[in-house]
Every structure is written in structure tokens, then in C-alpha cells.
Amino acid sequence: MFTGLIQGLGTIQPLSSNTWQITFVSNLEAIMQDLAYGDSVAIDGVCLTVEDILKDGFIATASPETLRRTTLGRQETQTQYVNLEPSLRVGGKVGGHFVMGHVDGMGQLISAEQTATSWEMTFVAPEAIARYIVPKGSIAINGISLTVATYQPETSQFTVAVIPLTYSETNLSCLNPGSWVNLEADILGKYVEKFISPVKTSHQEEITPAFLIENGYL
């Protein structure tokens, strides 16, 4: 589990079709001092396992499902900076929101406009993810915990306001219109949907007074 607060940037170099070498380019000492074999690290929001530790990074492998669902499976990510966040430790600060590292799918940047106090970035999400987006709710973009400012259900587009620190310290500053990003909707919305959805069974009995008596309700 993660919090969506990026701890550093790295570069990603393919070693095979599903294995990468991640090299830290910022905050090296802070991340490396607590990094251990088998740890979980979010790479652009994708939870991967540390398989080997190098002097300035680590090696990780992704499953076919991860490659299909995330930007790790796209050729252009192999030369980009990636956002890095070690997993949340017990007792650690939760400054963002609970991010699972299980990316739901990919979206695209539509526009990025600088204002006096922030960057307003608009993205488009697939319908399967857009249904969980609500104004003032949380969403993880490339692993970054951000708050939804506006949402347009008719186009599945949403806007986030990014403070200068977050913009400069993450790979959001590397994006251009059309760039693909990893999206993870807030886990709370998924559970709410699950709980309120009607249970579908192969045999649904009619609720009658006799049924209620038989099952101890009357």
C-alpha cells in the first residue's frame, strides 16, 4: 500500500520484454537506505517487487496483465523519468490517500495550463475508471495522489490542480498533450459500488411473509 506522495524520480531501462532496471536520479540516499530485497515499490503507480538491489537502483519484473493495463507496456515509457514511492510502513504518515498500486488503466493528458498558483491539468479516462471519479475526490495519476477539481461525465474528462512543488518534483512536468498516464481510482469508490450493487444469484426467492418467518425475521 502507498500514499501517493512521490519520494523520488528514476529512469527505467528494459532488460527484457518484462524486466526493467530502475535507476534513481533524485533522493537516492533516502530511498536506498531502507530498500530491501522483496520490498514493494510503486513505479509510476505500479506496485512491483524488488528482485535485485543495485548500488543506485533495483531490478523488477512485471506480469503480462500489468504490461497490458499500464504504461510499462508502452514503448515510450522506456526513456521517461518514472515516479518512485516505497511502500507505506506501519506508523508512517498518510499525506495523500490510500493507493494500492493496482493500476485500473491508462488515461491521456488533454492539456496543462499554468496559473498564478498552480498547474491545471486535464485528463481523459476510460469509462471503466471515469465512473469512480467525483469532484473533490482522490485519484492517483502516475502514482501521485491528486484531488479532482472538476469532472465532465459527458466526456470523461477531469481536471486536477497541481501545486508547483508536485509539478517540478514528479514526472508530470515531462508530460505533453496526448501522453499516456497510469490511473488508479480511489479504492473506497470500488467498495461502495460493490456493496450497493444487487447480488446476482442463479435462484432468487421472492421475499414473502412466509420467507421471512422461515428465515427468522418474524
Side-chain angles (χ1 to χ4, degrees):
M1 182 179 292
F2 308 89
T3 69
L5 298 184
I6 303 305
Q7 300 300 306
L9 288 172
T11 58
I12 184 167
Q13 176 184 356
L15 301 179
S16 69
S17 60
N18 66 337
T19 303
W20 290 271
Q21 176 179 321
I22 293 87
T23 303
F24 300 117
V25 297
S26 67
N27 207 20
L28 170 63
E29 294 183 1
I31 300 178
M32 287 295 296
Q33 68 179 355
D34 197 33
L35 192 67
Y37 175 81
D39 277 358
S40 295
V41 178
I43 302 172
D44 269 356
V46 183
C47 178
L48 295 181
T49 300
V50 175
E51 298 180 348
D52 193 12
I53 298 178
L54 311 175
K55 65 177 183 179
D56 55 357
F58 62 96
I59 292 174
T61 299
S63 68
E65 168 68 6
T66 298
L67 296 179
R68 182 188 68 81
R69 192 180 287 268
T70 74
T71 57
L72 291 179
R74 303 187 68 86
Q75 184 70 24
E76 59 265 30
T77 65
Q78 297 177 358
T79 57
Q80 288 182 337
Y81 289 116
V82 290
N83 299 320
L84 301 172
E85 182 191 356
S87 59
L88 177 65
R89 305 297 186 185
V90 174
K93 295 180 179 180
V94 183
H97 72 284
F98 287 126
V99 177
M100 309 306 293
H102 304 155
V103 171
D104 294 305
M106 292 178 287
Q108 283 185 293
L109 175 67
I110 300 300
S111 65
E113 298 181 3
Q114 187 175 14
T115 69
T117 58
S118 66
W119 284 83
E120 292 186 355
M121 306 185 75
T122 300
F123 297 85
V124 62
E127 176 56 35
I129 302 173
R131 70 172 182 255
Y132 299 115
I133 298 176
V134 295
K136 309 309 177 186
S138 297
I139 190 167
I141 302 176
N142 277 356
I144 308 164
S145 174
L146 294 168
T147 301
V148 177
T150 63
Y151 171 57
Q152 302 173 9
E154 63 277 6
T155 61
S156 296
Q157 294 184 10
F158 65 96
T159 299
V160 293
V162 182
I163 63 173
L165 177 65
T166 300
Y167 188 82
S168 63
E169 297 294 325
T170 69
N171 66 5
L172 290 180
S173 60
C174 302
L175 301 180
N176 298 305
S179 293
W180 292 93
V181 294
N182 295 320
L183 299 177
E184 181 188 330
D186 192 345
I187 188 67
L188 295 178
K190 301 172 190 176
Y191 277 118
V192 169
E193 180 184 60
K194 176 69 174 180
F195 292 149
I196 67 175
S197 297
V199 177
K200 296 181 180 180
T201 61
S202 57
H203 176 67
Q204 184 71 46
E205 291 189 55
E206 182 181 0
I207 298 178
T208 63
F211 173 85
L212 293 174
I213 292 173
E214 182 179 350
N215 287 274
Y217 290 98
L218 293 175

